[in-house]
Amino acid sequence: MPDAILEIDGLDSFYGDFQALFGISMSIRKGEVIAVIGANGAGKSTLMRSVTGLLTNRPDMIRFGGANIGGLRADQIAQMGIAMVPEGRQLFPSLSVEENLIIGGQVNRPGDWTLDAVYDLFPVLAERRKQPATSLSGGQQQMVAIGRALMSNPELILFDEISLGLAPIIIKNIYEALPNIIGTGMSAVVVEQDIKRAVDISDRVYCLQEGRVSLEGASGDVSRDEISKAYFGV
Ligand code: ATP
């Protein structure tokens, strides 16, 4: 794809001897939102960990902005402009809301995302800025995790199941904030179990099944039947 910002080319990923991903190929354009869907264990989180350097890969399997990043460390990849909102949030429990956000900014990439911009996006975090992050509700903690990722001013942001375990009204609030984030020209990958939500928010969708891409298409074009087949294999 000529204007791709991220290109994944035949990615195999392993946990020791166990192979979790088989020949995944995927590309994302600047400003594009990609949804990655798939059942439990399909390999979605493994794909996110591979892109962010938490799992090591052959260098030429992943390119970002034209550079091979497959062999780089997680901190080097963050510095290049990829941020992740990880499954389960993984906030620093002993630190305040504000300290968690500041840590996200430590990669020192220039851009519009500052503490004030994050507090404008999620005003409740400004009220709670001095509180331990883990004393907040689940939804507010998710806002901290999103804010922490934004503080690195990424070009590509990966959201790994941000609605997991949250009440429907909170999920709605968080998803309503996403266009404000993505509208700044960022590219995004949204990993989501809720198929309708995933299709609604994205330009294109990839479905994973047992570590392989089982469907790829424009979100407006793929039918419920095609998705069900790709998702469940029936
Ligand atoms: P979920 O929705 O449950 O998070 P997923 O699509 O994100 O599912 P992964 O977590 O990427 O799936 O898991 C893909 C495969 O890799 C599964 O078979 C899983 O058991 C295995 N796996 C995941 N993490 C590890 C690990 N740390 N060590 C060994 N195997 C793992």
Side-chain angles (χ1 to χ4, degrees):
M1 194 179 277
D3 51 351
I5 179 165
L6 182 79
E7 288 178 286
I8 303 173
D9 187 11
L11 173 68
D12 298 324
S13 290
F14 296 84
Y15 295 101
D17 290 338
F18 176 77
Q19 184 165 4
L21 297 181
F22 300 82
I24 300 276
S25 292
M26 192 174 277
S27 55
I28 304 172
R29 295 189 188 92
K30 188 169 166 49
E32 196 174 35
V33 180
I34 296 290
V36 176
I37 59 173
N40 286 336
K44 306 178 299 295
S45 294
T46 303
L47 176 61
M48 299 301 103
R49 289 184 205 125
S50 299
V51 171
T52 51
L54 297 173
L55 282 175
T56 43
N57 314 285
R58 267 206 357 245
D60 56 343
M61 285 178 170
I62 307 180
R63 280 187 300 282
F64 180 63
N68 289 336
I69 62 163
L72 299 184
R73 295 189 314 266
D75 60 306
Q76 294 171 312
I77 291 175
Q79 185 67 55
M80 291 180 77
I82 301 182
M84 175 158 71
V85 183
E87 187 175 344
R89 305 184 277 271
Q90 298 177 21
L91 301 178
F92 297 98
S94 61
L95 300 184
S96 68
V97 167
E98 188 148 300
E99 287 164 339
N100 268 278
L101 295 175
I102 287 169
I103 283 183
Q106 279 179 348
V107 296
N108 267 330
R109 289 175 48 83
D112 293 339
W113 287 104
T114 58
L115 275 177
D116 285 346
V118 171
Y119 290 147
D120 281 347
L121 182 69
F122 298 125
V124 69
L125 298 187
E127 293 163 24
R128 309 265 154 112
R129 67 209 300 166
K130 299 291 176 214
Q131 291 186 20
T134 46
S135 71
L136 272 56
S137 71
Q140 291 165 357
Q141 289 188 37
Q142 193 58 275
M143 293 172 194
V144 178
I146 294 171
R148 182 180 57 184
L150 291 173
M151 287 287 288
S152 70
N153 280 295
E155 285 182 58
L156 171 66
I157 185 164
L158 314 175
F159 297 98
D160 194 358
E161 302 212 22
I162 51 174
S163 49
L164 207 64
L166 300 181
I169 177 76
I170 308 293
I171 298 171
K172 187 166 169 282
N173 289 345
I174 287 183
Y175 268 89
E176 278 170 0
L178 288 197
N180 295 330
I181 296 170
I182 295 158
T184 59
M186 244 177 243
S187 310
V189 178
V190 178
V191 173
E192 178 55 74
Q193 295 244 351
D194 181 331
I195 296 173
K196 181 172 180 333
R197 197 178 295 286
V199 169
D200 285 350
I201 190 122
S202 60
D203 301 304
R204 284 189 301 123
V205 61
Y206 286 86
C207 187
L208 298 189
Q209 195 189 334
E210 296 178 2
R212 294 178 167 84
V213 174
S214 55
L215 176 73
E216 175 198 346
S219 301
D221 292 346
V222 289
S223 69
R224 293 289 297 185
D225 278 358
E226 284 173 309
I227 291 181
S228 295
K229 195 153 176 255
Y231 199 98
F232 300 110
V234 289

